[in-house]
Amino acid sequence: MTIDQIKTVVVIGAGAMGQQIAMNTALNGRAKNYKIIICDSFPSAVEKAQKWAAEYLKGRVAKCRITQEECDQISENLSFSNDVNASAAKADFIIEAIIEDLKIKRELFQRISKLCKPDTIIGTNSSNMVSSKFADVTTNPERLLNVHYFNPALVMKLVEIVRGPHTSENTIQTAKAFAASTGKSPIIINKEIPGFVANRINAAVTHEACSLLEKGIASVEDIDTACEKGLNYPMGPFKLMDLTGIDVNYYVRRDRYAESGDEYDKPSPLVVEKFKKGEFGRKTGKGWYDYTNQSKK
């Protein structure tokens, strides 16, 4: 598969990340005129994604970010389906963005790799699970890799293209070219490692931030301010955890500790406490910060 052969892009998983990856491809890949299908086995998720896309594009027109003509072109190129199998069969490039569950992902890759074309590139957006975890169940695993977008995918420019021991050079270069064609700044990671590059660096910052808070050195607000005003971070580590989900942080650290056995990799006791309380951040209305009043507004 080459970049010029990619016509139909299928995003599997109609959640927040899937929606934004698909919309970014539609918005910034207009020169390539990609046909994008967002699919999910849950009809309610597809319906929600379709509603979100319509409202998002309407807002872009209202703010004069795109013309009505451009909006119509994007809408024409963007379709929605709850038939994952049929969508996969049409794909030249597949990006998986479903739940972070190894068993479910393995079942999906086993199924779709038999249904799609032999050279269809299959990428997982996961930063927690490397593609080699799916290689043994994937037909033609040389076309399998991690294509990791950052949240929010419509804003963040970085895409990590991760080479598994099974991944061909052609797959890596085509995935890199595809990401660049949709306005992203892709980097190639030559060896699989949990968390890849950016998240490993961020994890070290988050670990230190939690340690400072545990020891009573500084408050959540002051640690975030130090990172934002002293290190020029767009947002501090606690605000970022609230945005991406404290539950996500918990699961990633838990799984990393299970693999490494290194105490350093364990979730912070403060993160565990938040997880047990169900305080996951913005999506639950409360995390390190309280968003209740904001949600009411």
Side-chain angles (χ1 to χ4, degrees):
M1 182 67 68
T2 66
I3 185 64
D4 291 331
Q5 291 174 306
I6 296 175
K7 306 297 181 185
T8 301
V9 180
V10 172
V11 179
I12 302 177
M17 277 302 292
Q19 291 172 18
Q20 292 211 17
I21 291 169
M23 183 60 74
N24 176 78
T25 305
L27 273 171
N28 298 307
R30 291 200 299 273
K32 289 286 188 179
N33 201 34
Y34 294 124
K35 306 299 180 185
I36 303 103
I37 304 172
I38 305 178
C39 62
D40 198 298
S41 57
F42 294 96
S44 59
V46 175
E47 184 180 342
K48 185 177 180 181
Q50 194 164 7
K51 182 179 179 182
W52 171 84
E55 291 176 352
Y56 178 82
L57 290 173
K58 183 179 179 181
R60 298 282 291 187
V61 173
K63 293 176 182 178
C64 298
R65 301 288 176 84
I66 58 174
T67 65
Q68 185 59 53
E69 185 180 357
E70 289 171 327
C71 176
D72 293 340
Q73 179 195 359
I74 293 165
S75 297
E76 186 177 334
N77 286 342
L78 196 58
S79 60
F80 303 81
S81 173
N82 58 20
D83 192 334
V84 174
N85 291 353
S87 299
K90 300 175 184 176
D92 300 308
F93 199 117
I94 294 173
I95 302 171
E96 170 271 316
I98 67 170
I99 187 172
E100 290 291 278
D101 183 292
L102 179 61
K103 183 179 178 181
I104 294 174
K105 285 181 186 288
R106 280 174 62 83
E107 187 278 330
L108 176 70
F109 285 117
Q110 184 175 38
R111 177 161 47 93
I112 64 172
S113 66
K114 293 175 181 176
L115 295 170
C116 61
K117 291 174 283 190
D119 60 346
T120 294
I121 293 176
I122 304 175
T124 173
N125 183 57
S126 179
S127 64
N128 189 33
M129 298 181 195
V130 293
S131 66
S132 59
K133 289 181 179 289
F134 320 118
D136 63 312
V137 296
T138 301
T139 306
N140 300 338
E142 64 273 8
R143 38 79 175 269
L144 174 68
L145 77 167
N146 285 77
V147 182
H148 178 228
Y149 290 74
F150 286 77
N151 187 20
L154 276 163
V155 176
M156 304 298 283
K157 293 293 185 182
L158 182 64
V159 173
E160 293 175 319
I161 308 295
V162 187
R163 186 196 310 273
H166 49 275
T167 312
S168 73
E169 181 64 23
N170 173 263
T171 296
I172 291 293
Q173 295 303 328
T174 302
K176 181 181 179 182
F178 169 77
S181 75
T182 64
K184 298 303 185 187
S185 299
I187 65 169
I188 295 175
I189 298 170
N190 289 312
K191 293 183 180 180
E192 291 184 333
I193 184 171
F196 310 143
V197 171
N199 278 347
R200 289 185 73 87
I201 294 171
N202 181 60
V205 173
T206 301
H207 182 276
E208 187 60 28
C210 289
S211 178
L212 291 168
L213 182 61
E214 286 174 39
K215 295 172 182 175
I217 304 298
S219 68
V220 165
E221 292 83 357
D222 286 348
I223 293 169
D224 276 351
T225 299
C227 291
E228 291 167 8
K229 305 302 181 183
L231 301 176
N232 206 27
Y233 286 16
M235 66 174 66
F238 293 106
K239 287 180 183 175
L240 182 59
M241 269 192 281
D242 275 359
L243 176 65
T244 58
I246 293 171
D247 55 330
V248 173
N249 179 278
Y250 170 80
Y251 286 127
V252 169
R253 302 295 296 202
R254 181 200 65 181
D255 292 348
R256 194 169 297 173
Y257 172 65
E259 284 192 14
S260 70
D262 187 340
E263 292 290 317
Y264 179 87
D265 289 333
K266 269 188 173 180
S268 160
L270 297 179
V271 168
V272 174
E273 183 182 346
K274 290 285 183 187
F275 178 80
K276 288 181 177 178
K277 289 181 179 178
E279 296 176 357
F280 299 159
R282 288 181 177 271
K283 59 187 170 186
T284 60
K286 188 175 182 182
W288 301 110
Y289 295 87
D290 191 333
Y291 302 92
T292 309
N293 292 333
Q294 292 184 27
S295 62
K296 286 181 180 178
K297 289 178 184 178

